[in-house]
Amino acid sequence: MHSDDVVWDTLGNRQFCSYKITTKTQNFCRNEYNLTGLCNRSSCPLANSQYATIREEKGRCYLYMKTIERAAFPRRLWERVLLSKNYEKALEEIDENLIYWPRFIRHKCKQRFTKITQYLIRIRKLTLKRQRKLVPLRRKIERREKRREEKALIAAQLDNAIEKELLERLKQDTYGDIYNFPIHAFDKALQQQDAESESESDAEKEEDDDEDTDNREFVEADDSDLSDFEDMDKLETSSEEEQEKEEEVEKKASHSKSKGKTPLKGPARRKRPYIEIEYEEETEPTTKTKAA
């Protein structure tokens, strides 16, 4: 027959218990089913045949209960009840399941449940907040990479200086017709020369366009052109005088016709102005050669 007092006398006071931690002031218990975490008679899960506790698994709280009827079946020793996420409903569920249990166990289960809900709330708040991630610094690797970068820069500077020297010597024809240089250097030089020639040609085209746009000159007129303009002015003045005379004659005729006869039907024909055109011929004077 299972006796709780015998178990407590053997484990708690006299013999060794693997869950017990002794300190100078108090003894603690490391058993996962312990209700308070203290090593004493009322809170020991091994020395109490009727026992209850609260445990947290993956963010949910469960009520564990042990009775003397299931002591012979270790597989079904603990009964587990899932508690509600609502705090008040969970407390009511604890009271309903532990209605006939000792008051000490019921009070300690509620107290443990409140502590678990508090630290679950803190965990959720911390996960939602922005947190700093601590990254370890590997100083040896950083030093090694810095040394490699410095060496690569020095090597690149040397390669550029050697390439420039070789290209200058090649332009000066110091080696003659024998060349044993890498091909990519020649390709770069050719590309640079092509780019320079293209830029020079573009600049020359722009200069030519500027010169074409600014080429404006004023030329003096010849004597023949002036004489032609004078003749045209004379013709215009003579034509204007003739038009005035014709208009006066037409007015007089219309005045005389209006007195006696009716005017003729149809549009009146106008006479064309009389234009005189003069032609000038220039003849070169013939010079007589004297007979010697």
Side-chain angles (χ1 to χ4, degrees):
M1 188 174 177
H2 187 74
S3 178
D4 296 338
D5 294 331
V6 174
V7 173
W8 175 248
D9 288 337
T10 55
L11 291 176
N13 293 330
R14 296 177 184 177
Q15 294 184 4
F16 175 76
C17 180
S18 61
Y19 298 110
K20 186 169 65 175
I21 297 171
T22 57
T23 59
K24 291 181 181 179
T25 57
Q26 201 171 7
N27 295 330
F28 296 97
C29 182
R30 292 185 298 179
N31 195 335
E32 57 185 3
Y33 291 100
N34 195 313
L35 186 59
T36 59
L38 300 174
C39 184
N40 52 27
R41 173 75 178 80
S42 59
S43 60
C44 181
L46 301 176
N48 290 295
S49 58
Q50 190 178 7
Y51 196 78
T53 185
I54 302 290
R55 290 187 64 190
E56 182 264 327
E57 294 178 2
K58 297 179 181 180
R60 297 300 301 273
C61 294
Y62 294 90
L63 175 64
Y64 283 81
M65 294 176 288
K66 183 178 75 167
T67 57
I68 191 64
E69 289 84 9
R70 295 191 297 272
F73 306 98
R75 188 177 179 184
R76 293 181 289 142
L77 183 63
W78 293 93
E79 182 184 357
R80 188 173 74 169
V81 178
L82 178 65
L83 298 175
S84 177
K85 289 183 179 180
N86 192 357
Y87 179 72
E88 293 178 357
K89 288 182 180 180
L91 292 177
E92 289 177 359
E93 289 174 357
I94 291 167
D95 287 332
E96 288 176 0
N97 289 303
L98 303 177
I99 189 169
Y100 299 112
W101 288 57
R103 186 178 176 278
F104 173 78
I105 293 173
R106 190 167 59 250
H107 176 66
K108 288 295 179 183
C109 284
K110 289 179 182 179
Q111 193 175 7
R112 185 177 174 84
F113 176 71
T114 52
K115 289 288 182 183
I116 290 169
T117 51
Q118 286 173 1
Y119 83 71
L120 287 174
I121 290 164
R122 285 198 298 271
I123 288 168
R124 292 191 190 100
K125 286 181 180 179
L126 289 172
T127 51
L128 292 171
K129 283 184 180 179
R130 186 180 292 177
Q131 296 178 356
R132 292 181 181 180
K133 188 178 180 181
L134 298 175
V135 179
L137 296 174
R138 298 177 180 178
R139 294 183 180 178
K140 288 184 179 179
I141 295 169
E142 288 181 355
R143 274 188 247 136
R144 195 188 308 152
E145 288 178 354
K146 284 182 181 178
R147 270 182 269 142
R148 286 178 181 174
E149 288 176 359
E150 291 173 358
K151 289 178 182 179
L153 286 172
I154 293 164
Q157 290 174 359
L158 286 171
D159 291 336
N160 291 327
I162 291 164
E163 187 177 349
K164 287 178 181 178
E165 279 288 330
L166 292 173
L167 290 171
E168 287 177 0
R169 291 182 184 181
L170 192 143
K171 288 177 182 178
Q172 294 173 3
D173 293 333
T174 54
Y175 297 111
D177 296 331
I178 299 169
Y179 301 112
N180 192 13
F181 302 134
I183 296 168
H184 64 86
F186 292 108
D187 294 336
K188 285 183 182 179
L190 290 171
Q191 289 176 0
Q192 289 177 0
Q193 288 179 358
D194 293 336
E196 289 175 358
S197 62
E198 286 178 358
S199 61
E200 288 176 358
S201 63
D202 293 336
E204 288 177 358
K205 285 180 181 178
E206 289 177 358
E207 289 176 359
D208 294 336
D209 295 335
D210 295 336
E211 290 177 357
D212 293 336
T213 53
D214 296 334
N215 286 337
R216 289 184 181 180
E217 294 180 358
F218 297 96
V219 183
E220 186 178 359
D222 296 334
D223 295 333
S224 61
D225 296 333
L226 291 171
S227 62
D228 293 335
F229 283 118
E230 289 175 358
D231 294 336
M232 292 294 290
D233 292 334
K234 288 177 182 179
L235 290 171
E236 288 176 357
T237 52
S238 61
S239 63
E240 287 176 358
E241 289 174 358
E242 289 176 356
Q243 285 179 2
E244 290 176 358
K245 287 178 182 180
E246 288 177 356
E247 287 177 357
E248 289 176 358
V249 172
E250 287 177 356
K251 284 180 181 179
K252 289 178 181 179
S254 63
H255 184 67
S256 61
K257 287 178 182 179
S258 63
K259 288 180 179 180
K261 297 179 182 180
T262 57
L264 295 171
K265 292 181 179 180
R269 293 184 180 179
R270 293 180 64 186
K271 293 182 180 181
R272 293 181 180 177
Y274 180 73
I275 298 169
E276 292 180 359
I277 298 169
E278 294 179 0
Y279 296 97
E280 291 183 0
E281 293 182 0
E282 292 182 0
T283 58
E284 294 180 358
T286 57
T287 57
K288 296 180 180 181
T289 58
K290 294 181 182 182

